[in-house]
Amino acid sequence: MTSFRIVAAGDSAIVVEFEETIAPDVNARTIACAEAIQAARLDGVRDVVPTYRSVAVYFDPLRTDHDVLTRCLEREAVRPLTPITAARTPVRIPVCYGGDLGPDLPGVAAFAGLPEADVARVHAAATYRVFMLGFVPGFAYLGIVDAAIAMPRHATPRVRVPAGSVGIAGVQTGVYTGGTPGGWQVIGRTPVKPFDPTRADPFLMKAGDAVQFYAIERSEYDRARSES
């Protein structure tokens, strides 16, 4: 039986919480629940936000029937997942690892007891799941990073991490979408923009997507940057 609980978050938000873990099956249920709530189009619901293992529903308390919303959450939280008939094509992201674009690669290599090239190889070998979006527009929290290279984030964050930086924070990896503060271990950079408001679809990655990184040389990175 699916384990969940529903908790209030003030007078205009409610949260359904699943198992407290980072796991693809729990996240799949979370995303399915969020999508079902959105599809229900309940009066007064303003936003539905899925995370790793919970769904926050923001609503207008003057327009929303709280009991109807709660029953909808209870129903969707236990609904059997629909079998996936066709896997999503992975989003492929080029990365130039190391050097000035990946200043923390040596530290991650020391943490893992591996050469820097092997850290890049291990990082690029996995197919990651987009567990959620957050922090800033388009920032995708990806997992699960191989335990050998899953170095914790910095104790003191950097004031500014350049856009396109690819980082590791424990079992998570991700691509910084803009020049923001950040404490993740930066091992490379991509010329691809995860978030671009000028595109028809600004978001390169969405919750539930699969993502694969692949290594490119500095010359290829520079060429792609000059053409973007």
Side-chain angles (χ1 to χ4, degrees), residues 88-109:
R88 301 187 191 186
T89 300
V91 178
R92 287 180 51 78
I93 298 178
V95 182
C96 180
Y97 289 96
D100 61 314
L101 302 181
D104 295 323
L105 184 60
V108 177

Side-chain angles (χ1 to χ4, degrees), residues 3 24 34 50 57 91 119 129 139-140 144-145 152-153 164 170 175 185 215:
S3 174
V57 182
V91 178
V119 171
R129 176 181 179 84
F139 185 93
I144 296 173
V145 171
R153 69 188 71 201
V175 183
Q185 305 289 341

Side-chain angles (χ1 to χ4, degrees), residues 80-217:
L81 291 176
T82 302
I84 299 174
T85 56
R88 301 187 191 186
T89 300
V91 178
R92 287 180 51 78
I93 298 178
V95 182
C96 180
Y97 289 96
D100 61 314
L101 302 181
D104 295 323
L105 184 60
V108 177
F111 169 85
L114 295 170
E116 292 181 21
D118 284 354
V119 171
R121 177 185 55 77
V122 171
H123 183 261
T127 297
Y128 298 101
R129 176 181 179 84
V130 179
F131 281 88
M132 61 174 282
L133 300 182
F135 175 47
V136 291
F139 185 93
Y141 289 83
L142 312 174
I144 296 173
V145 171
D146 189 296
I149 62 170
M151 186 174 181
R153 69 188 71 201
H154 290 285
T156 302
R158 290 183 171 92
V159 174
R160 183 180 183 278
V161 179
S165 295
V166 177
I168 289 174
V171 297
Q172 304 171 113
T173 186
V175 183
Y176 283 82
T177 61
T180 62
W184 292 28
Q185 305 289 341
V186 176
I187 61 172
R189 197 179 302 172
T190 178
V192 172
K193 296 179 180 179
F195 175 74
D196 185 350
T198 66
R199 291 194 300 246
D201 185 349
F203 299 95
L204 178 64
M205 295 169 278
K206 298 178 176 63
D209 280 350
V211 177
Q212 295 173 338
F213 295 104
Y214 64 96
I216 59 173
E217 297 296 328

Side-chain angles (χ1 to χ4, degrees), residues 4-150:
F4 73 96
R5 69 171 187 155
I6 295 175
V7 295
D11 62 358
S12 59
I14 192 169
V15 181
V16 55
E17 298 179 339
F18 296 98
E19 292 89 341
E20 192 171 354
T21 185
I22 297 177
D25 58 337
V26 174
N27 184 246
R29 180 168 296 281
T30 299
I31 293 171
C33 181
E35 291 176 345
I37 296 165
Q38 289 173 321
R41 298 184 180 279
L42 299 178
D43 288 342
V45 171
R46 292 169 167 164
D47 199 7
V48 181
V49 182
T51 69
Y52 275 101
R53 39 77 63 171
S54 65
V55 181
V57 182
Y58 299 90
F59 59 90
D60 181 345
L62 300 180
R63 294 179 54 215
T64 303
D65 186 318
H66 191 275
D67 291 339
V68 170
L69 175 57
T70 300
R71 287 197 297 271
C72 180
L73 285 169
E74 291 172 341
R75 181 176 64 251
E76 298 305 334
V78 298
R79 187 184 297 278
L81 291 176
T82 302
I84 299 174
T85 56
R88 301 187 191 186
T89 300
V91 178
R92 287 180 51 78
I93 298 178
V95 182
C96 180
Y97 289 96
D100 61 314
L101 302 181
D104 295 323
L105 184 60
V108 177
F111 169 85
L114 295 170
E116 292 181 21
D118 284 354
V119 171
R121 177 185 55 77
V122 171
H123 183 261
T127 297
Y128 298 101
R129 176 181 179 84
V130 179
F131 281 88
M132 61 174 282
L133 300 182
F135 175 47
V136 291
F139 185 93
Y141 289 83
L142 312 174
I144 296 173
V145 171
D146 189 296
I149 62 170

